[in-house]
Amino acid sequence: MSTKSDPETAPNNTIDQDEAQLQLNRSWHFVESFAASFCALNFIGGVRSVFFLGLLAGGPAAMWSSYVISMFFMFITAAVLAEICSALPLSGSIYIWAAESAGPKYARFFGVVVAWWTCTAWMTFAASNCQKKEPFLTELRPISQTTANYLVSLLAVFETDFPGGISMDNVKWRAFIWAISEALLIVSVAMNYLPSRWYSRVFKGSLALMMLDFFLCLIWLPIRVSKTYGFRSAKEVFTGTYNGTGAPEGWNWILSFLFAAGTMTGFDASGHIAEETKNASVIAARGIFTSAVATGCFGFITTILFLFCTPDLDTLFSLEAPQPFVQIYALALGKGGAVFMTILAALGLIMNTSIAIVAASRLIFAVARDGVLPLSWWIGRVSKDGQPRNAVTVMYVFGAAILCVILPSNVAFTSLVSAGGVPTIAAYGLIGLLRLTMTPNSFRSTKFNLGVFRRPMYAATAFFQAIVFAVMVSPFFFPVTAQSFNFAGVILGAVTIFAVIMYLVTPEDKWLRPETVRQALAAGDLTSSESASIAKADKD
């Protein structure tokens, strides 16, 4: 594990060594740090993608109430991560935070496990974002919700036939979706080879696209809905319930957290680019917290907006496009408006995927730099301008390979990417638990100190993430069949077993050496005044 610290949090006698070891180019500021998480989460695209899951799991009343609860606890989780990020602003951040939160004795074990968890989560995200299937049923028929499916849903709007039908049971249709998904992945990855100063424009461009999408939905959509099929009533929005999962009523309501918490998972991305962020001990931590708050607030507004502006449930469940929102836009805005909003949404998701690859590639780079991955010597290299382009290439190869699984079986592909959010939630909860039980008084150097509220916040993080974890590994439809079985828990279990094996066979001197952990903990526990004293003494 690298022990490089941000110069502002490390004593002066380590700055020269740290900066000499620092390989990534530090050129980004708060806008880029904020956008790394805010755009990767893509609040409006996220709400659209899982909106129908929320309707099935409890209906409108469950959706907005679970979103309010999720906002409260996710903001606490973001604050907990921001606190430790400020003390340890490093690439590959989350597995290092887990290791250091466990203390010297157990750091290596938890660091290895969380490293493999987060690699699984972030590496599958790029592929799943280009072609990700969410189980929305219409008469037990699965409908995909994907970047590619935004575009192909225009076929339904213009009533264009496809040979063999628009169905994932049709191998020609799967091949068509696969080809589009691979092309979208190439575009998203290609932007990651831009120099960092140019990629800064991608961050800002993605922000602009998301906000344009949001304000058009906020202004244009309601105006057109009022002149077409009309709004849903306040009673429907705030008190309407629905059970489309077949689960017992109580658990059906709890399953709505899959929608609410799922749209706010991934704000640790700001930490992954910390080594490329100036004044990272402040900026990276601020990026984590502010992006979580902004995503939650805008996501909640978007949820209420769509609950009022979508047609009644009978009409919604009769829509046949792979991405039903495209047909909703056609009903409200007309075909031309649907085309424009579809292209805007697809562009936003392409940028969203590209930015997620930024965070994921830095994670892969950090793990490789520590010498654990196969071909670490090559993956851990950086370009002359300080970019981990080899890690980006690994992301592309991995994502492209996963997308190929669509061809023989879409069920197999869905199973592979089903664990995308589960490892991240598990890591969030584990860090909260470890901070509560193992290192509650550590990391005094943080500039995002939680003070007297830290223990309750650690406990709240562990508690809520455990609930979300249970929801994410639970079957969504009951009774459970081979088609509806949730493989997320199985995949996470397999990854965990593999991580434990790696922990047992990897020598201590190869990764997360005890002395390295102690050095990082010591650096994290130096207060600003102590660091200043050391710096003054070294200068004298």
Side-chain angles (χ1 to χ4, degrees), residues 5 83-90 93 96-97 100 274 443 520-521 523-524:
S5 303
E83 180 187 46
I84 192 170
C85 176
S86 179
L88 297 170
L90 304 166
S93 50
I96 297 173
W97 302 340
E100 300 300 337
F443 308 112
L521 279 170

Side-chain angles (χ1 to χ4, degrees), residues 372-491:
V372 176
L373 295 179
L375 299 177
S376 288
W377 61 272
W378 180 77
I379 299 173
R381 287 181 182 175
V382 297
S383 61
K384 292 181 180 179
D385 59 348
Q387 300 299 303
R389 294 203 171 102
N390 292 347
V392 172
T393 301
V394 170
M395 283 293 303
Y396 168 70
V397 172
F398 187 85
I402 288 182
L403 284 173
C404 290
V405 180
I406 297 171
L407 294 172
S409 171
N410 192 58
V411 174
F413 172 79
T414 304
S415 299
L416 282 175
V417 302
S418 64
V422 177
T424 303
I425 290 295
Y428 289 174
L430 180 61
I431 289 173
L433 181 63
L434 293 174
R435 292 290 282 129
L436 177 67
T437 59
M438 308 296 287
T439 55
N441 299 313
S442 298
F443 308 112
R444 292 181 298 149
S445 66
T446 181
K447 297 179 181 178
F448 203 93
N449 198 303
L450 301 180
V452 296
F453 299 104
R454 65 184 185 280
R455 289 178 187 269
M457 294 176 79
Y458 301 155
T461 296
F463 169 75
F464 182 70
Q465 301 307 327
I467 293 176
V468 177
F469 178 85
V471 169
M472 286 189 167
V473 299
S474 166
F476 191 78
F477 295 103
F478 295 82
V480 180
T481 66
Q483 290 290 327
S484 63
F485 182 76
N486 187 350
F487 287 89
V490 176
I491 294 173

Side-chain angles (χ1 to χ4, degrees), residues 204-521:
K204 295 168 184 176
S206 182
L207 278 171
L209 281 176
M210 284 174 56
M211 298 315 296
L212 175 61
D213 192 349
F214 171 71
F215 282 112
L216 285 175
C217 288
L218 187 65
I219 299 171
W220 189 21
L221 182 61
I223 292 174
R224 294 299 304 161
V225 166
S226 67
K227 297 180 179 180
T228 51
Y229 53 78
F231 297 109
R232 304 281 62 74
S233 68
K235 183 179 180 179
E236 289 177 286
V237 170
F238 294 110
T239 66
T241 60
Y242 187 80
N243 187 337
T245 67
E249 290 302 322
W251 190 247
N252 178 65
W253 192 285
I254 294 295
L255 285 173
S256 65
F257 283 103
L258 180 63
F259 159 75
T263 60
M264 288 183 274
T265 301
F267 43 75
D268 54 297
S270 297
H272 294 311
I273 67 165
E275 286 183 31
E276 295 164 274
T277 304
K278 294 186 176 182
N279 193 21
S281 60
V282 175
I283 299 302
R286 189 181 297 166
I288 288 174
F289 185 71
T290 56
S291 64
V293 172
T295 296
C297 293
F298 281 113
F300 180 72
I301 294 171
T302 302
T303 299
I304 298 298
L305 172 70
F306 287 159
L307 286 175
F308 274 106
C309 290
T310 50
D312 61 86
L313 294 181
D314 290 337
T315 301
L316 280 177
F317 293 165
S318 69
L319 299 178
E320 297 182 350
Q323 169 46 276
F325 260 100
V326 175
Q327 282 185 299
I328 292 172
Y329 286 141
L331 291 172
L333 308 176
K335 292 182 178 179
V339 170
F340 179 81
M341 293 300 294
T342 298
I343 293 174
L344 182 61
L347 287 174
L349 285 171
I350 290 171
M351 304 284 265
N352 153 232
T353 305
S354 179
I355 291 173
I357 292 172
V358 170
S361 62
R362 272 56 179 179
L363 171 65
I364 301 305
F365 161 78
V367 177
R369 182 176 60 186
D370 290 336
V372 176
L373 295 179
L375 299 177
S376 288
W377 61 272
W378 180 77
I379 299 173
R381 287 181 182 175
V382 297
S383 61
K384 292 181 180 179
D385 59 348
Q387 300 299 303
R389 294 203 171 102
N390 292 347
V392 172
T393 301
V394 170
M395 283 293 303
Y396 168 70
V397 172
F398 187 85
I402 288 182
L403 284 173
C404 290
V405 180
I406 297 171
L407 294 172
S409 171
N410 192 58
V411 174
F413 172 79
T414 304
S415 299
L416 282 175
V417 302
S418 64
V422 177
T424 303
I425 290 295
Y428 289 174
L430 180 61
I431 289 173
L433 181 63
L434 293 174
R435 292 290 282 129
L436 177 67
T437 59
M438 308 296 287
T439 55
N441 299 313
S442 298
F443 308 112
R444 292 181 298 149
S445 66
T446 181
K447 297 179 181 178
F448 203 93
N449 198 303
L450 301 180
V452 296
F453 299 104
R454 65 184 185 280
R455 289 178 187 269
M457 294 176 79
Y458 301 155
T461 296
F463 169 75
F464 182 70
Q465 301 307 327
I467 293 176
V468 177
F469 178 85
V471 169
M472 286 189 167
V473 299
S474 166
F476 191 78
F477 295 103
F478 295 82
V480 180
T481 66
Q483 290 290 327
S484 63
F485 182 76
N486 187 350
F487 287 89
V490 176
I491 294 173
L492 182 65
V495 171
T496 303
I497 292 172
F498 181 77
V500 172
I501 293 173
M502 291 295 295
Y503 164 76
L504 295 174
V505 302
T506 304
E508 284 190 3
D509 61 349
K510 295 295 184 181
W511 198 35
L512 294 177
R513 298 186 302 274
E515 61 272 20
T516 302
V517 174
R518 286 192 290 270
Q519 289 171 8
L521 279 170

